[in-house]
């Protein structure tokens, strides 16, 4: 199964968190297929930001800068835009920031989810699909070697992971209280949650994420301190889970609720590698690019191991994607080496002053040739 671009033509799609890294890529992907995209979000979380350097706002039908915790504005926006599809991506997305401000994290990630579901309940008669984008970290991590399946116990030790697990529970509660699957002929709303791994891609300027930190260290000619070199994560290019999310939404639309529930989108098992291997892969790819492309500006990154005390983060995490493979026929397309190459191409273009909007659209087109009809 591949994406049906015709399905998205003129579909009214409402994205929360559209100014973020992942939300910006989502907005560009949807707009490239002809969807009418509305966004509701705080201002871009970083400076610079993908939203601004790629001029994402130019592709939007409507963009509203507002807080997901402001339920009156949220109700008004949904009532006015009358979306058919809502993709909830607004969040406080960083583990280390959640230790610094847990209340901000819980209020955004938990009450923000409750607010949008309440807004749908009160003002969302037009909405046919609600997809809550959470994280691979919602699982109660037992540090075992097996990938986590969608029916594993939710948990999360740190405030971020725990708040996203709570967001899933809120979604499940609203579905069972107000939008039961057996009553879908009346309310017409399908609801699901989607869990992705460590999403990487061009335009991520966040702090305390491996790839952006590496890119910054290269730009500043500084050695990067690696906190958890042996931690294993399900790395994947941002276009991979976005493709999965959109494929899931197509399936949910007019499906009588059979696709409701939780879904994992991650890399194949052999692509789940330690932090230090990502660093070494990046070094090798940069060396190849330097030798083959005279315009390539990036230097090989230097690093050192930081053995200091740090807040708890999971050491071992893999996702079982059998459900998406078997029921959606969704499969990862880009391996980790190709994903890193795309990031380096994006970054080199950015440093060279190239039109970033075109770079994003070209990468989307390249990926879409594998996944869209």
């Amino acid at each position: 199964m591949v994406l049906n671009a015709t399905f998205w033509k003129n579909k009214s799609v409402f994205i929360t968190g559209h100014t973020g890294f992942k939300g910006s890529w989502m907005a560009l992907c949807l707009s490239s297929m002809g969807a009418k995209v509305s966004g509701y979000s705080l201002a871009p979380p970083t400076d610079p930001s993908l939203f601004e350097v790629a001029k994402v706002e130019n592709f939007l039908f409507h963009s509203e800068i507002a807080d997901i915790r402001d339920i009156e504005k949220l109700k008004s926006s949904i009532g006015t835009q009358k979306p058919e599809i809502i993709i909830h991506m607004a969040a406080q997305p960083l583990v280390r920031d959640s230790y610094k401000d847990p209340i901000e994290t819980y209020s955004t990630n938990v009450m923000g989810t409750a607010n949008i579901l309440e807004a749908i309940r009160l003002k969302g008669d037009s909405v046919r699909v609600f997809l809550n984008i959470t994280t691979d970290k919602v699982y109660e991590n037992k540090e075992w070697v097996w990938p986590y399946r969608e029916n594993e116990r939710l948990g999360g030790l740190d405030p971020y992971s725990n708040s996203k697990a709570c967001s899933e529970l809120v979604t499940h509660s609203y579905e069972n209280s107000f939008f039961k699957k057996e009553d879908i002929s009346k309310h017409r709303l399908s609801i699901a949650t989607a869990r992705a791994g460590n999403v990487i891609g061009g335009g991520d300027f966040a702090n305390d994420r491996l790839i952006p930190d590496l890119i910054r260290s290269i730009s500043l000619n500084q050695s990067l301190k690696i906190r958890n070199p042996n931690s294993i994560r399900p790395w994947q290019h941002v276009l991979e889970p976005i493709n999965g999310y959109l494929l899931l939404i197509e399936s949910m639309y007019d499906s009588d609720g059979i696709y409701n529930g939780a879904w994992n989108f991650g890399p194949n098992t052999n692509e789940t590698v330690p932090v230090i291997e990502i660093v070494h892969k990046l070094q090798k790819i940069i060396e190849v690019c330097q030798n083959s492309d005279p315009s390539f500006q990036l230097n090989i990154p230097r690093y050192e191991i930081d053995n200091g005390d740090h807040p708890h983060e999971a050491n071992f995490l893999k996702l079982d994607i059998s459900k998406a493979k078997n029921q959606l026929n969704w499969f990862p397309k880009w391996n980790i080496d190709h994903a890193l190459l795309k990031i380096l191409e994006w970054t080199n273009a950015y440093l060279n002053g190239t039109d970033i909007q075109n770079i994003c659209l070209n990468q989307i087109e390249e990926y879409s040739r594998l996944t869209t009809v």
Side-chain angles (χ1 to χ4, degrees):
M1 188 182 294
V2 293
L3 286 179
N4 180 1
T6 304
F7 169 87
W8 293 100
K9 183 72 173 176
N10 292 322
K11 278 287 189 301
S12 178
V13 184
F14 187 95
I15 304 174
T16 70
H18 69 293
T19 63
F21 159 66
K22 203 170 172 184
S24 292
W25 277 104
M26 174 67 82
L28 290 172
C29 287
L30 286 168
S31 298
S32 72
M33 293 188 291
K36 295 167 63 176
V37 181
S38 298
Y40 183 103
S41 178
L42 295 175
T46 60
D47 183 15
S49 70
L50 178 61
F51 184 77
E52 292 174 332
V53 300
K55 300 179 175 63
V56 175
E57 191 167 9
N58 294 347
F59 289 85
L60 300 178
F61 181 74
H62 177 78
S63 178
E64 185 168 356
I65 302 301
D67 198 320
I68 195 73
R69 293 168 293 185
D70 188 335
I71 190 169
E72 295 305 320
K73 280 189 178 180
L74 195 53
K75 288 191 296 184
S76 175
S77 189
I78 289 174
T80 301
Q81 298 306 319
K82 300 187 183 307
E84 299 171 77
I85 296 162
I86 293 181
I87 305 173
H88 178 40
M89 307 181 83
Q92 191 298 97
L94 299 173
V95 171
R96 288 169 69 85
D97 281 1
S98 77
Y99 281 106
K100 298 172 186 175
D101 197 342
I103 297 301
E104 177 83 5
T105 300
Y106 278 104
S107 65
T108 300
N109 295 352
V110 183
M111 286 310 301
T113 301
N115 282 348
I116 191 153
L117 284 161
E118 182 69 357
I120 293 171
R121 186 176 77 88
L122 297 175
K123 297 289 184 178
D125 291 343
S126 62
V127 183
R128 304 289 296 278
V129 174
F130 173 74
L131 181 62
N132 182 12
I133 308 301
T134 62
T135 174
D136 56 347
K137 297 175 180 63
V138 297
Y139 294 105
E140 181 182 9
N141 196 315
K142 299 180 183 296
E143 302 287 356
W144 57 29
V145 297
W146 301 284
Y148 289 88
R149 297 169 296 179
E150 288 87 348
N151 59 357
E152 306 279 2
R153 182 184 175 93
L154 298 179
L157 294 178
D158 62 86
Y160 166 71
S161 304
N162 188 269
S163 71
K164 296 300 275 187
C166 291
S167 174
E168 295 243 4
L169 293 174
V170 168
T171 305
H172 183 66
S173 174
Y174 261 80
E175 178 186 358
N176 282 279
S177 299
F178 307 111
F179 303 108
K180 288 185 173 67
K181 188 162 57 175
E182 55 266 32
D183 297 331
I184 199 168
S185 61
K186 299 177 183 177
H187 58 70
R188 304 192 309 153
L189 178 64
S190 293
I191 295 177
T193 61
R195 305 157 181 173
N198 277 44
V199 176
I200 58 177
D204 188 355
F205 295 97
N207 291 316
D208 293 323
R209 283 183 180 156
L210 178 63
I211 300 300
D213 286 348
L214 274 168
I215 297 299
R216 270 188 293 272
S217 72
I218 294 170
S219 301
L220 298 172
N221 195 27
Q222 295 176 348
S223 178
L224 177 65
K225 292 186 176 182
I226 304 293
R227 294 192 303 270
N228 301 299
N230 298 314
S231 292
I232 294 175
R233 297 285 185 269
W235 312 94
Q236 57 187 328
H237 193 276
V238 63
L239 293 178
E240 298 275 30
I242 285 177
N243 176 255
Y245 303 156
L246 299 183
L247 190 59
L248 173 59
I249 289 169
E250 284 186 24
S251 302
M252 292 170 68
Y253 201 92
D254 286 334
S255 69
D256 294 330
I258 62 174
Y259 292 94
N260 285 19
W263 296 81
N264 286 342
F265 296 98
N268 289 313
T269 301
N270 63 333
E271 296 293 315
T272 304
V273 299
V275 166
I276 197 64
E277 187 171 337
I278 295 293
V279 178
H280 292 160
K281 283 179 176 291
L282 202 67
Q283 290 175 322
K284 291 178 182 178
I285 295 170
I286 288 177
E287 184 176 5
V288 171
C289 290
Q290 286 176 336
N291 293 330
S292 62
D293 182 0
S295 70
F296 194 82
Q297 292 188 8
L298 301 182
N299 295 316
I300 296 174
R302 296 174 289 113
Y303 71 90
E304 55 190 274
I305 304 301
D306 182 355
N307 293 313
D309 291 331
H310 300 287
H312 172 271
E313 294 186 56
N315 292 312
F316 196 95
L317 188 55
K318 291 184 179 182
L319 291 177
D320 187 313
I321 56 174
S322 301
K323 182 180 176 182
K325 286 181 174 180
N326 293 327
Q327 296 187 34
L328 298 177
N329 201 26
W330 174 85
F331 294 86
K333 303 295 183 182
W334 284 355
N335 63 25
I336 187 61
D337 289 337
H338 195 72
L340 292 172
L341 176 62
K342 293 292 108 180
I343 294 169
L344 292 174
E345 288 178 356
W346 190 101
T347 303
N348 191 60
Y350 173 69
L351 294 177
N352 278 330
T354 307
D355 187 331
I356 288 300
Q357 188 179 97
N358 284 338
I359 294 297
C360 291
L361 294 176
N362 288 341
Q363 291 194 354
I364 290 169
E365 182 181 1
E366 178 188 341
Y367 188 87
S368 296
R369 285 197 293 268
L370 304 172
T371 59
T372 307
V373 293

